[in-house]
Each structure stands twice: as C-alpha cells, then as structure tokens.
Amino acid sequence: MTKMLDYPEPETLAEALTLLAHYGGRAMFIAGGTDVIPRLKKKQICPEALISLNRVAGLGGIDLNGDLRIGAGTTHRAIEKSVLIRERFSALTDAVDVLGSVQIRNVGTIGGNICTAAPSADTAPPLLVLGAQARAVSLKGERMIPLETFFQGPGKSILTPEEIVAEFLIPAPLPCSASAYWKHQRRLALDLPILGVAVQLTLDKRTCPLPGNLNDEGSWPAIWQALAQERPVCREVKIALGVAAPVPMRARKAEALLQGQVLTPELLAEAARIASVEAQPRDSVRGEAWYRKEMVKVFVKRMVLKCMERIACGETPAVELPGKA
Amino acid sequence: MKRKISFTLNGHTVQTEIDANLTLLALLRDQLGLKGTKEGCGMGDCGACTVLLNGMTVNSCIFPAMEVEGKTVVTIEGVADKEGNLHPLQKSFVEHGAIQCGYCTPGMVLSAKALLDENPHPTEAEIRKGIAGNLCRCTGYVQIVEAIKAAVQETEIASRCPQ
C-alpha cells in the first residue's frame, strides 16, 4: 500500500457505519482486501481510511433456518467447505470452487465479491438463480434488496454510501431442484471468467440417473433418449449470465420458453439460443462479444443438463474440470 | 500513523510498531528482514508471496499487516525444524528437481504444506487445486506435483513404521 492510511477496526456494525459517516465518503470498508488492496496499489481508489470489517460481530456464519443465511463476511473458503451449501445450493459451491485461488478464498468474502459489483463476480450468477436477497443495513434502518436489482452498472451497486450488506438470504429450494454454475476460463485458477452461466432448475419429478458424461456432447443423444421416456417437465428455471452484460443478468426470455414445458433437446437448444440473443457482452481482453454469445449457447444447455443430472442423483457431484475429455 | 502489533512469527512472539498501511509482505521483508517470502506480481495473482496465517495460505502482498494481530504467521523460514532439518516437502522438492529458479518455491512449499496439513492423502487433482494459486514459470509443475506426491508417500510410510 502506498500513502498513509487510517485503519480503524470497529467491533460492531453501528460503529463501522458511524465511522463511515464520520469520514464523509473518504473511507472504504475492507474485509479480505483482495479487491480493495490491488485497486489501492494501482491508485484506482484513494481513500483516507480503510475501515476493517474483520472484528465486526455478526457478519459471519452459514445457517439454515428454513432459508439459508450467509453472513456477508463469510469467506469463499468457508462456503467451499460447507457441505450444506454443496448439497443444496450447489451453484454457489461451483463458483467458489473456481474463484481465484486458495489464498484468495481464505480471506475474500462473498459480501466483498457482490458489493464490488464487477460484471465478472463469480458469486453473482449463482446468487441470482438461487433467488438471493441482500440485507442492507444503515444507521437509519435496514432493507432487503433482491439481487436482481442490486447491480446498477460495472462496479456500481444500488447501495447508498451509508449502507453495508450484512448478510444474504436464500430461500430453501423446492423439491426436485438443483443448481449449477460454469465459469468459462482459460486457466484452472487465478482467472476472471470469459463467461459465467448459472442455472437453477426445478422439475416435476426426479428422473432416472443420466447415462453418459455431460462434458462429452457425443453422449447427449443417449442421455436424451433415456429422458424421452420420462418427459420431465420444467416447473421453474432461472438462468443467469456473468460477463455477458454490464451487470450480471437473468436471461428471462430463455427462462420463459422453458417454464412449464417438457424438456427436449430442441427446446433446450432454442432456449440457449434465445439466452445468447438476450446477452449483451462486449469485446474485452478475455474474449470477443461474438465468442461470448456462442458460449452462452453452449453453457446454458450444459448447465440445464447438469441440473438435471444433479436432480436425478439426489445429491450433487462436483462440476468437472474442463480439458480432460 | 504508527500502530503496535503483537503476533507469533515462526514460533516466536513478535511485538513491533507498524504504519497502518503496511502490507504483511513489506512487514516481513523490509521491517523484519525475512527475505524468504518473495514479491512476484504484488497483486495477489501469482502466490510467490504466500505465507501461512493461522495455518491458512494468504497472499501477503495484499494482506494488511494490521490484521496479523494476535495471529500465527509461518514463513518459509519457519518450515524447517529448529535444528534446521528440512521438512519432508522441502527434501522432496530438492530430490525431485522441483526447484529451478526458485522464485515460486517458498510460496509453493507453503501451499503444499497447508494442503497436506489439512488433507494428508490428497489425490493428484486435489494437489493441483491446492497449488493452483502458485504460478511457476520454469517447471511446468510436473516435478512439483511429483515432489508433493512423494512427500505424501514418505509420510504415509513413516506413519506406518513403529518408532
């Protein structure tokens, strides 16, 4: 870090918010620091103080009480190790499994990932499809913010300068549901996504186990043949894309096509095509817009199938790493 | 703005005064003279600066020194035992040619150590995931993974032999 900074360490949320107000916009919160410190070093931000959240009570914890509650200060590593989240909210585990590196995950927090509001935030598409809400707290009170409205632009959230996110609340999934997230990246770690695709799917029943390897499109005809007998109906589906627009987005037209329908390969392909039309990616160092749109088509199909595989198993195997097939 | 901190470093208590804006890497190298931890990218993207904090790996180049208060830090200097006997991982790295220029090595050894401390019997996939935060531009990782596997086997054999 470069210039002289204050580093206050409040112990309650109220203290932290009071400090924030005291600095009048010239201070920033820091938890893990994996986004804040690099930006500070690159002089992209110049606060007078970094207000540490690491001693603030009540920002941690993962608990299930009907709904899932994840404290905003929960590290990605803690989420990675949570059996509860891996089994029932798997898209989020998929995301933290491939986020950064072990070193980053040991200190980086889900609150930081979401509040930094990069279009590439790996935990954003999963939280979107899981129907998450953020509980934002200020000295004047609190409010629940659905993740759909949270992101306002690259690096911009709907939070006012007086607010902080204390926790995320995720509704318990319906029976015969599963979720999955794919981070399309060139490296196996330490890379931002070229594209992120998350899906949460609810079927009308649990189907037979899917034969074949989902990563090998050659085995898909066999998979679909097995499913054709059972005619699984999509009760509900949510599809979210990262790095496909200025903010993490839902592909609502694609969702509408699938809702209430028997899932067939033709329908899924059409939904994936519609999602790629809905996406508005840009050219960047990691990939060009046309390529991202093509990959939306590929990974929407794969993640819906992944969800179907997970529903069929009743438990969730890990999303396989690429490049081995 | 100077702040007093107290923490455990490689088994010893350290009490010192720091500027609040110091990184852990700068504290270790510049203030405490421990040059084993390296600066690669300075942004948390390469893992050369990896140290253990309460047994967990962190990138010290982006870690505020203020946050070590009351915690335990282990650097590469603290991996060999007090008599200077190399840790099985260190021996294995040497024996398997896992060190070329050596710049990634301190961080790599610490990531491997943290992995094995938590999971003494990792699969190759788990090893690769465990060191995925440490970039090596020389070896292509082959000898590094072999060295870690060999250290795992060494430890397994040792734990089966009655002492």
Side-chain angles (χ1 to χ4, degrees), chain A residues 115-193:
Chain A
C115 294
T116 301
S120 55
D122 281 310
T123 61
L127 286 184
L128 280 172
V129 301
L130 291 169
Q133 295 187 88
R135 184 165 72 88
V137 176
S138 71
L139 289 169
K140 299 202 191 94
E142 59 180 61
R143 58 171 173 149
M144 298 300 295
I145 305 173
L147 261 281
E148 276 83 10
T149 57
F150 190 88
F151 305 103
Q152 298 288 300
K156 279 192 357 208
S157 77
I158 202 175
L159 293 178
T160 69
E162 294 88 30
E163 281 177 312
I164 185 177
V165 173
E167 64 195 15
F168 298 96
L169 286 149
I170 298 173
L174 297 167
C176 299
S177 290
S179 61
Y181 172 71
W182 186 260
K183 175 175 185 169
H184 188 44
Q185 54 177 351
R186 285 175 303 173
R187 297 187 195 164
L188 293 182
L190 286 173
D191 210 355
L192 292 180

Side-chain angles (χ1 to χ4, degrees), chain B residues 2-163:
Chain B
K2 292 272 188 199
R3 305 276 274 271
K4 287 202 172 93
I5 57 168
S6 169
F7 65 108
T8 305
L9 177 60
N10 295 333
H12 306 289
T13 307
V14 169
Q15 285 171 331
T16 187
E17 256 188 14
I18 58 167
D19 286 326
N21 66 342
L22 203 64
T23 63
L24 178 55
L25 180 66
L27 171 62
L28 292 168
R29 289 185 59 90
D30 304 336
Q31 201 161 309
L32 299 174
L34 291 172
K35 304 293 188 182
T37 312
K38 309 301 182 197
E39 178 169 34
C41 67
M43 293 289 159
D45 272 335
C46 76
C49 66
T50 303
V51 299
L52 299 184
L53 184 79
N54 287 357
M56 298 187 314
T57 50
V58 299
N59 293 126
S60 62
C61 71
I62 55 171
F63 194 84
M66 291 285 297
E67 294 287 349
V68 301
E69 171 64 40
K71 301 198 173 90
T72 300
V73 175
V74 175
T75 68
I76 190 64
E77 289 90 347
V79 173
D81 69 19
K82 299 223 160 22
E83 284 80 49
N85 300 310
L86 295 181
H87 186 281
L89 273 168
Q90 289 174 306
K91 273 190 235 153
S92 196
F93 267 56
V94 170
E95 283 159 15
H96 285 79
I99 306 164
Q100 288 184 213
C101 80
Y103 207 76
C104 76
T105 306
M108 194 67 80
V109 167
L110 287 165
S111 283
K113 180 179 178 335
L115 170 73
L116 297 188
D117 286 346
E118 192 181 282
N119 177 6
H121 310 288
T123 62
E124 178 170 325
E126 286 168 337
I127 291 174
R128 287 180 177 274
K129 190 180 182 196
I131 61 170
N134 294 79
L135 302 187
C136 172
R137 297 293 280 130
C138 297
T139 63
Y141 305 98
V142 175
Q143 302 95 315
I144 292 173
V145 172
E146 280 171 9
I148 297 170
K149 280 184 187 168
V152 168
Q153 278 167 358
E154 269 289 308
T155 320
E156 279 172 357
I157 293 169
S159 70
R160 273 186 254 135
C161 294
Q163 288 303 312

Side-chain angles (χ1 to χ4, degrees), chain A residues 82-97:
Chain A
S82 161
V83 175
L84 166 65
I85 295 179
R86 188 173 291 271
E87 286 179 350
R88 302 188 57 200
F89 304 89
S90 6
L92 189 53
T93 309
D94 292 341
V96 298
D97 262 346

Side-chain angles (χ1 to χ4, degrees), chain A:
Chain A
M1 296 190 268
T2 48
K3 50 181 284 198
M4 285 301 145
L5 282 178
D6 284 346
Y7 197 86
E9 294 174 286
E11 293 182 359
T12 67
L13 215 46
E15 229 184 293
L17 289 164
T18 307
L19 277 163
L20 190 68
H22 163 76
Y23 278 97
R26 296 181 313 274
M28 289 181 67
F29 287 128
I30 181 172
T34 56
D35 277 325
V36 170
I37 308 262
R39 284 159 75 199
L40 198 69
K41 285 185 166 191
K42 290 183 221 176
K43 299 192 182 2
Q44 289 167 350
I45 50 173
C46 301
E48 282 177 19
L50 292 177
I51 303 169
S52 170
L53 295 173
N54 294 303
R55 291 173 196 272
V56 172
L59 285 182
I62 299 171
D63 21 81
L64 189 69
N65 199 352
D67 291 349
L68 177 71
R69 188 199 79 86
I70 307 179
T74 307
T75 62
H76 300 303
R77 188 69 168 158
I79 295 172
E80 190 184 351
K81 292 190 189 179
S82 161
V83 175
L84 166 65
I85 295 179
R86 188 173 291 271
E87 286 179 350
R88 302 188 57 200
F89 304 89
S90 6
L92 189 53
T93 309
D94 292 341
V96 298
D97 262 346
V98 291
L99 194 156
S101 62
V102 175
Q103 293 92 320
I104 299 282
R105 299 198 282 278
N106 276 333
V107 296
T109 63
I110 187 169
N113 195 229
I114 294 296
C115 294
T116 301
S120 55
D122 281 310
T123 61
L127 286 184
L128 280 172
V129 301
L130 291 169
Q133 295 187 88
R135 184 165 72 88
V137 176
S138 71
L139 289 169
K140 299 202 191 94
E142 59 180 61
R143 58 171 173 149
M144 298 300 295
I145 305 173
L147 261 281
E148 276 83 10
T149 57
F150 190 88
F151 305 103
Q152 298 288 300
K156 279 192 357 208
S157 77
I158 202 175
L159 293 178
T160 69
E162 294 88 30
E163 281 177 312
I164 185 177
V165 173
E167 64 195 15
F168 298 96
L169 286 149
I170 298 173
L174 297 167
C176 299
S177 290
S179 61
Y181 172 71
W182 186 260
K183 175 175 185 169
H184 188 44
Q185 54 177 351
R186 285 175 303 173
R187 297 187 195 164
L188 293 182
L190 286 173
D191 210 355
L192 292 180
I194 301 168
L195 175 72
V197 175
V199 172
Q200 187 191 50
L201 180 67
T202 307
L203 295 178
D204 63 331
K205 59 170 166 292
R206 185 192 293 185
T207 65
C208 61
L210 303 193
N213 174 8
L214 278 188
N215 282 346
D216 166 23
E217 291 203 23
S219 61
W220 286 16
I223 292 175
W224 280 114
Q225 194 158 29
L227 287 170
Q229 307 292 331
E230 305 205 44
R231 297 173 57 78
V233 172
C234 163
R235 271 262 197 79
E236 233 187 78
V237 68
K238 296 203 209 66
I239 301 170
L241 309 175
V243 208
V247 297
M249 58 170 276
R250 292 265 299 274
R252 292 185 189 269
K253 295 190 182 134
E255 294 172 1
L257 187 78
L258 295 173
Q259 208 96 349
Q261 303 299 317
V262 174
L263 289 176
T264 65
E266 296 77 30
L267 190 68
L268 189 51
E270 179 59 12
R273 189 195 66 79
I274 290 174
S276 90
V277 171
E278 285 185 88
Q280 323 141 44
R282 53 167 203 160
D283 294 342
S284 82
V285 290
R286 276 178 196 83
E288 294 182 349
W290 70 266
Y291 177 70
R292 291 187 156 110
K293 277 183 175 273
E294 286 298 309
M295 291 300 105
V296 168
K297 276 190 245 173
V298 173
F299 290 110
V300 165
K301 280 190 288 191
R302 286 198 195 177
M303 288 304 101
V304 169
L305 274 172
K306 193 73 202 176
C307 288
M308 292 172 80
E309 181 182 68
R310 287 176 168 173
I311 294 169
C313 290
E315 49 98 1
T316 52
V319 177
E320 274 144 57
L321 295 174
K324 296 290 175 180

